[in-house]
Amino acid sequence: LLINAQTQKMVPEMIKNTVTNIRIILCKNLKYIEMPCIGNGFSEYFSSASQELKIKLIGSKPLIANYFSQRNNIVELEIPTTITEIGSSALSGCDNLLKLTMPNYKSIKYYGDLNNLEELVITNSSQTFLEEDFIIDFPNLRKVTLCDNITKVGKKVISRCPNLLFFELPDN
């Protein structure tokens, strides 16, 4: 994985595929990353990134269990619908994650205790139903936006979110 330090964007795929076993160090000014899920965990490649980070995952490789474990510097994370497998506790310990954009697969707590999460965006996916207790125990959650293909919502889909101010349902 190579990142252009000035644009903070990934180097084109052709170049990136020629480099193996690289670690990104001295990332003091890195604020935004577009990247595929690589290796066994985020810290394996970004060990010294200490700034608040916004991350947009790309590609379709599964997000394995504990991938972003204990990364307190991640403030925004976007998981595309092309990633169809997300492991348990993939976001465990991301205590400063404020905004999460992701497809709906399981209860949000399955991915980690995200107690400071303020905004949740559920993007388009093949599922049309949100299960019971999908969003539970998020004391700082203020906004939830659901994708248009959600046609049915289970009982108590959201509970114990005392600061929830905005809940956007699809038109259908």
Side-chain angles (χ1 to χ4, degrees):
L1 174 66
L2 295 175
I3 297 177
N4 180 317
Q6 292 179 342
T7 64
Q8 297 184 357
K9 297 262 184 177
M10 288 180 57
V11 172
E13 194 77 26
M14 182 180 75
I15 297 170
K16 182 179 67 180
N17 286 337
T18 64
V19 179
T20 58
N21 202 18
I22 190 166
R23 188 175 236 194
I24 308 300
I25 56 174
L26 301 174
C27 302
K28 293 180 182 176
N29 296 318
L30 187 64
K31 295 178 183 174
Y32 178 78
I33 304 170
E34 285 185 28
M35 62 176 276
C37 295
I38 53 174
N40 294 317
F42 184 76
S43 295
E44 182 178 343
Y45 294 92
F46 294 90
S47 59
S48 63
S50 58
Q51 286 283 100
E52 289 185 347
L53 287 175
K54 296 178 182 181
I55 299 173
K56 179 179 181 180
L57 294 178
I58 57 175
S60 59
K61 192 170 180 185
L63 182 57
I64 63 172
N66 300 304
Y67 189 82
F68 287 109
S69 182
Q70 308 305 314
R71 293 308 305 188
N72 290 326
N73 59 328
I74 300 173
V75 294
E76 284 188 27
L77 177 62
E78 182 178 339
I79 302 171
T81 56
T82 54
I83 294 178
T84 58
E85 186 179 332
I86 303 172
S88 68
S89 302
L91 309 176
S92 178
C94 291
D95 295 334
N96 292 315
L97 186 63
L98 301 176
K99 181 177 180 182
L100 176 61
T101 302
M102 64 177 292
N104 61 314
Y105 297 119
K106 296 183 184 286
S107 169
I108 301 301
K109 284 287 183 185
Y110 175 81
Y111 306 114
D113 289 324
L114 305 172
N115 294 324
N116 291 317
L117 191 66
E118 294 178 358
E119 183 176 354
L120 176 63
V121 179
I122 304 300
T123 56
N124 200 14
S125 76
S126 60
Q127 294 187 356
T128 59
F129 176 72
L130 286 186
E131 64 186 53
E132 185 174 328
D133 294 332
F134 184 74
I135 303 167
I136 186 171
D137 290 327
F138 290 95
N140 294 306
L141 190 64
R142 296 178 187 279
K143 181 178 180 182
V144 174
T145 304
L146 300 180
C147 60
D148 287 339
N149 68 315
I150 301 294
T151 57
K152 188 174 180 185
V153 176
K155 294 178 182 177
K156 295 188 332 182
V157 71
I158 296 178
S159 61
R160 296 194 295 271
C161 298
N163 290 308
L164 188 63
L165 300 172
F166 184 79
F167 185 76
E168 185 177 340
L169 292 168
D171 292 333
N172 49 7

